[in-house]
Amino acid sequence: MAMAPLQVFLFACAIALLASSSMVSAEVIEHSFQVQNLTINRLCRRQVINAVNGSLPGPTLHVREGDTLVVHVFNKLPYDLTIHWHGVFQLLSGWADGPEFATQCGIRPGSSYTYRFNITGQEGTLWWHAHVSWLRATVHGALIIRPKRQRSYPFPKPYREVPILLGEWWNANVVDVENEGLASGATPNNSNAYTINGQPGDVYPCSSNKTYKLKVKQGKTYLLRIINAALNNQLFFKIANHNMKVVSVDAAYTNPYITDVVVVAPGQTTDVLLTANQAPAAYYMAAKPYVSVVGVPFDNTTTTGVIVYEGSKPSTPKMPILPAFNDTTTAHKFFTNLTGLVTGPFWIPPPRQVDEHMFVTVGLGLIACGEAGNATCAGPNGQRLAASMNNASFQLPTKMSMLEAFFNNVPGIYTTDFPDQPSLKFDYTNPNNSFNPAIIMTTKSTKVKKLKFNATVEIVMQNTALIGVENHPIHLHGFNFHVLAQGFGNYNPTIDSKKFNLVNPQERNTIAVPVGGWAVVRFRANNPVTEEVMANKNTKLVVTNQIGSSGNENVGDNEEIRKLRWQIIEMHRAWANGLLPPPVPTNNLEYLSSLPPVSHAQFSIFVDMPQHASGSTPGQQYPTTSKVHFLTPQSKTTIYSAPAVVHAFAAAPPLEAPTFDVHPQVVPAYSTKDPALNIFSDQHYALEPTFKSTGPYDCPQPPEFPPNTKKSVMTEEQEKITR
């Protein structure tokens, strides 16, 4: 029965109030990054580094879960540049993830690019860093995600929150260091120091005056957000005479775990509660490398900061006793004692059904030095060192990003033949195979693994003894994974699968595969973008959701439907940013088709076609209405008030989601095999942006979002005052 005009008006007013109240919790946080050379003093010398906004580390970004982050990056370096938002899911915003030639081309010197994405379903500590060459050694900073204002931490509120960024320092241009290693085929030169918040600490020469200091009050509890921004080394971290309580790793809450030492692999984050419960004095915090490979030189130094109790008398800080550099027992104990907090706000149990099983060997190998007759290289056996997975050493493309090639079906950029198993099975962790000529050689290639959307993937990551056994950090872009088990030696599925923790496994985006051992992770491929599985030493496995396959080849192929879907997204994006779309004319399709395209959406969209249930024919014309359900990341009621052609309902499934009634002209093909995939949804089809050429080799970039001219960009200090 139709509603009377007064009823419609009152209903719209009530819905508008609900929408406005829910918008209070989400904001658009906007920053600008000026990336340029900076000359600073470290280790008794002046050194030119690459830095953001004139600081090392770069600015700390503060957001709340559900906020939209907008960062305008101005590249004033002599190198190409991208920024990766390490650990952010990038739901439907894969273009903003940042790895060069994977999801975008580099920002050319003198050019700029704007990243815009929503932070959904995550709280805790993540970080951002350059994702070209070794620029991230100094181009990095913390990304702090706090709960929405109406929600609290799942632990007592700390007195203060403090980012602790652990880094590496070279008395050289890091780009030159990397290039020299690539040219010779050997390992690059080791760093000269480690740092805490950009400072080496007073055990290094010429560093005592600027050692990082943290003042604390007796009895207060502090949340230390520890980030390992070092390029190549895992680090032990301790505070003299103090225990720490781990409450989160990689922005995923854990059950509280009390420890006197924290181990962080490159890329990992660990949140700990520190209670100032010792006698008023000064205490060192210190970090040193955990190195498991034997016989290889490394930077065996220690960085320090100082915790100073308020009111304490000047004294020499107490130094913690750090583990030995090769203390694998301590490292393994820490990593395996962490478990997920099942009562956390975003906890998702590990999937029990597995669709894709992969066994991936991770380690070093050799590639041929060059053409016959060339001079030998400086790597083992006169060859070049190369990290590999399943004996494939990844080679980045140079003419186009893989994500663009994926969406535009451009051949020749990558192949989809990355193997699920190693081509040759052998005794993976046997040191006698370290230089076995039959298995040590590898080749460069750009191979990817293609996954069906929403498939559950289990990966056994097996370390090998090729060249030497070592602990390998592995990072998965765009997803978290559950760590089911870790161990040493060769993985035995019959025995080791019985060790799986399927109750409360830790969630991570970066894992340290044990030295001479294995780790088993499981995740659901529910983010339709091209993403990387990255190991240290620049090994990569690229995974991409296989969108539009398995009986759904025709879904979304109709141009009118794709255009209609784009414009609905634009309407909702306008609402999300506090902008009112123009009035909707009677001809809804004409209006939607007339709107300009956008590069990506912040929201998941489900399109329900009830006609399918009544035996419709694909491609049949339908004058009736279909409902488009908008599921916001904030899971809140979002309503767009519009004329009768576009109606809003508060009770659409799920209850938090509104609907728009639209009139598509053609219904896509229907698959009875997988009803969840018959919808032309951006859960399954990320948007096809219009590209413009700004990168090297005319490499196209996805379009930028212009600055929000209605809101000034806050400085970090202004943001602190505001919050």
Side-chain angles (χ1 to χ4, degrees):
M1 184 174 66
M3 299 176 69
L6 178 59
Q7 291 175 302
V8 173
F9 175 76
L10 293 175
F11 176 78
C13 289
I15 293 305
L17 286 173
L18 284 172
S20 62
S21 64
S22 63
M23 288 177 65
V24 173
S25 61
E27 299 179 11
V28 177
I29 307 299
E30 196 161 354
H31 290 270
S32 288
F33 281 5
Q34 305 287 339
V35 191
Q36 56 194 359
N37 287 339
L38 174 70
T39 301
I40 60 177
N41 292 308
R42 293 290 188 278
L43 305 185
C44 311
R45 58 179 288 163
R46 291 170 62 81
Q47 179 66 47
V48 177
I49 66 169
N50 315 124
V52 176
N53 296 354
S55 66
L56 175 67
T60 297
L61 305 184
H62 297 271
V63 298
R64 292 186 182 273
E65 193 272 326
D67 285 350
T68 294
L69 183 59
V70 179
V71 180
H72 311 290
V73 178
F74 299 88
N75 183 12
K76 299 178 180 179
L77 298 176
Y79 317 106
D80 286 358
L81 172 72
T82 63
I83 300 295
H84 170 50
W85 313 94
H86 193 106
V88 175
F89 291 154
Q90 298 291 1
L91 297 175
L92 301 180
S93 56
W95 310 108
D97 192 49
E100 186 188 33
F101 289 119
T103 62
Q104 73 170 98
C105 299
I107 307 168
R108 298 287 279 165
S111 299
S112 64
Y113 184 71
T114 295
Y115 293 91
R116 181 188 183 103
F117 50 90
N118 187 269
I119 296 177
T120 303
Q122 294 178 280
E123 293 174 2
T125 304
L126 296 176
W127 65 302
W128 56 265
H129 59 81
H131 209 294
V132 175
S133 184
W134 277 18
L135 295 177
R136 71 179 173 93
T138 52
V139 179
H140 62 251
L143 173 56
I144 308 302
I145 309 171
R146 294 190 177 95
K148 292 181 181 179
R149 297 187 185 280
Q150 64 267 34
R151 194 165 60 228
S152 60
Y153 294 122
F155 48 80
K157 183 179 179 179
Y159 176 73
R160 185 183 167 196
E161 302 178 14
V162 183
I164 302 291
L165 282 89
L166 309 177
E168 279 184 280
W169 175 266
W170 277 263
N171 285 332
N173 182 326
V174 293
V175 175
D176 292 341
V177 172
E178 182 193 25
N179 288 340
E180 289 165 6
L182 292 173
S184 70
T187 57
N189 290 336
N190 291 318
S191 57
N192 298 99
Y194 301 102
T195 59
I196 294 178
N197 288 346
Q199 297 294 338
D202 56 13
V203 299
Y204 294 96
C206 307
S207 302
S208 59
N209 291 337
K210 292 189 176 180
T211 299
Y212 173 72
K213 291 182 173 61
L214 173 62
K215 290 186 177 181
V216 298
K217 289 186 176 182
Q218 180 84 31
K220 298 294 185 181
T221 297
Y222 297 78
L223 178 60
L224 304 186
R225 299 180 178 272
I226 305 168
I227 301 168
N228 187 350
L231 263 67
N232 299 317
N233 284 300
Q234 300 186 67
L235 296 168
F236 291 115
F237 177 84
K238 289 190 73 170
I239 301 172
N241 291 19
H242 289 75
N243 284 334
M244 296 168 280
K245 181 186 293 184
V246 179
V247 292
S248 177
V249 293
D250 292 358
Y253 291 118
T254 65
N255 287 308
Y257 173 62
I258 297 176
T259 179
D260 68 340
V261 61
V262 167
V263 192
V264 277
Q268 288 184 335
T269 71
T270 303
D271 290 354
V272 301
L273 294 176
L274 170 72
T275 300
N277 55 8
Q278 297 299 303
Y283 302 86
Y284 275 123
M285 62 175 77
K288 66 176 292 186
Y290 162 51
V291 177
S292 53
V293 65
V294 178
V296 175
F298 65 97
D299 177 7
N300 191 15
T301 60
T302 300
T303 180
T304 56
V306 180
I307 290 179
V308 181
Y309 278 67
E310 287 190 6
S312 62
K313 297 179 180 179
S315 61
T316 301
K318 297 178 176 63
M319 178 66 83
I321 300 175
L322 287 158
F325 72 87
N326 58 354
D327 191 346
T328 294
T329 300
T330 294
H332 190 66
K333 177 184 177 182
F334 177 83
F335 285 133
T336 56
N337 271 282
L338 301 174
T339 54
L341 183 66
V342 299
T343 57
F346 306 112
W347 168 259
I348 298 176
R352 299 300 182 100
Q353 181 69 33
V354 177
D355 303 308
E356 295 272 359
H357 289 271
M358 299 182 68
F359 185 96
V360 179
T361 56
V362 181
L364 296 174
L366 298 176
I367 58 174
C369 182
E371 300 293 333
N374 280 8
T376 58
C377 294
N381 298 343
Q383 307 293 349
R384 293 182 181 275
L385 282 170
S388 70
M389 292 180 170
N390 281 355
N391 203 37
S393 187
F394 188 79
Q395 176 70 56
L396 280 169
T398 58
K399 295 183 178 179
M400 178 182 294
S401 75
M402 300 175 70
L403 189 55
E404 186 207 351
F406 173 70
F407 279 105
N408 291 336
N409 295 315
V410 178
I413 304 301
Y414 62 85
T415 61
T416 57
D417 56 345
F418 183 86
D420 289 344
Q421 305 285 332
S423 57
L424 176 67
K425 295 184 178 180
F426 59 97
D427 188 357
Y428 303 113
T429 56
N430 186 341
N432 294 327
N433 280 324
S434 292
F435 289 92
N436 186 335
I439 57 178
I440 198 173
M441 298 302 293
T442 183
T443 56
K444 289 285 185 179
S445 59
T446 310
K447 296 181 179 182
V448 309
K449 167 66 177 179
K450 215 169 185 181
L451 300 172
K452 180 183 175 183
F453 176 81
N454 219 35
T456 297
V457 185
E458 181 178 290
I459 304 178
V460 177
M461 300 176 182
Q462 175 68 61
N463 184 212
T464 73
L466 297 180
I467 308 297
V469 292
E470 63 175 320
N471 185 298
H472 282 274
I474 306 265
H475 170 52
L476 177 59
H477 289 227
F479 300 92
N480 276 0
F481 48 76
H482 292 95
V483 182
L484 303 187
Q486 304 173 67
F488 297 102
N490 296 331
Y491 176 74
N492 184 323
T494 303
I495 298 173
D496 294 328
S497 62
K498 297 177 182 178
K499 305 173 185 176
F500 286 4
N501 178 0
L502 297 172
V503 178
N504 61 350
Q506 59 181 288
E507 282 188 85
R508 280 198 176 273
N509 62 58
T510 304
I511 186 172
V513 179
V515 52
W518 51 267
V520 182
V521 303
R522 192 178 290 181
F523 69 97
R524 191 177 300 281
N526 55 7
N527 191 6
V529 292
T530 300
E531 296 293 3
E532 294 180 323
V533 182
M534 296 190 62
N536 64 339
K537 296 180 174 60
N538 293 323
T539 307
K540 297 183 181 71
L541 154 63
V542 175
V543 296
T544 178
N545 286 174
Q546 187 169 353
I547 302 173
S549 63
S550 303
N552 297 278
E553 288 79 358
N554 297 324
V555 180
D557 285 347
N558 181 273
E559 186 65 30
E560 281 298 306
I561 289 179
R562 285 206 298 263
K563 188 182 292 185
L564 175 64
R565 174 166 52 83
W566 267 60
Q567 316 315 341
I568 295 170
I569 291 167
E570 170 65 5
M571 292 167 58
H572 199 58
R573 190 169 74 86
W575 170 85
N577 288 286
L579 307 175
L580 289 178
V584 181
T586 302
N587 187 334
N588 185 42
L589 184 59
E590 180 180 334
Y591 160 71
L592 293 175
S593 300
S594 69
L595 290 175
V598 295
S599 64
H600 69 270
Q602 304 165 14
F603 303 94
S604 309
I605 298 177
F606 286 85
V607 180
D608 179 20
M609 289 291 186
Q611 296 91 339
H612 287 151
S614 59
S616 63
T617 301
Q620 182 176 343
Q621 299 288 324
Y622 288 100
T624 55
T625 296
S626 298
K627 293 180 179 179
V628 182
H629 309 302
F630 290 87
L631 308 183
T632 72
Q634 294 84 4
S635 297
K636 65 188 181 187
T637 303
T638 56
I639 297 301
Y640 170 72
S641 180
V645 175
V646 181
H647 296 289
F649 299 87
L655 294 179
E656 301 88 0
T659 65
F660 289 96
D661 285 352
V662 298
H663 300 272
Q665 301 301 300
V666 180
V667 173
Y670 174 58
S671 167
T672 56
K673 295 181 181 178
D674 192 348
L677 291 180
N678 73 339
I679 54 183
F680 50 95
S681 158
D682 279 280
Q683 280 284 13
H684 315 290
Y685 297 92
L687 300 177
E688 315 98 51
T690 301
F691 292 87
K692 65 180 183 180
S693 293
T694 59
Y697 309 101
D698 293 324
C699 183
Q701 286 279 37
E704 301 180 44
F705 283 97
N708 184 351
T709 56
K710 295 188 176 182
K711 178 181 178 181
S712 60
V713 180
M714 287 192 294
T715 65
E716 187 174 357
E717 191 61 34
Q718 289 172 328
E719 185 176 307
K720 288 180 180 177
I721 295 173
T722 301
R723 293 188 178 277

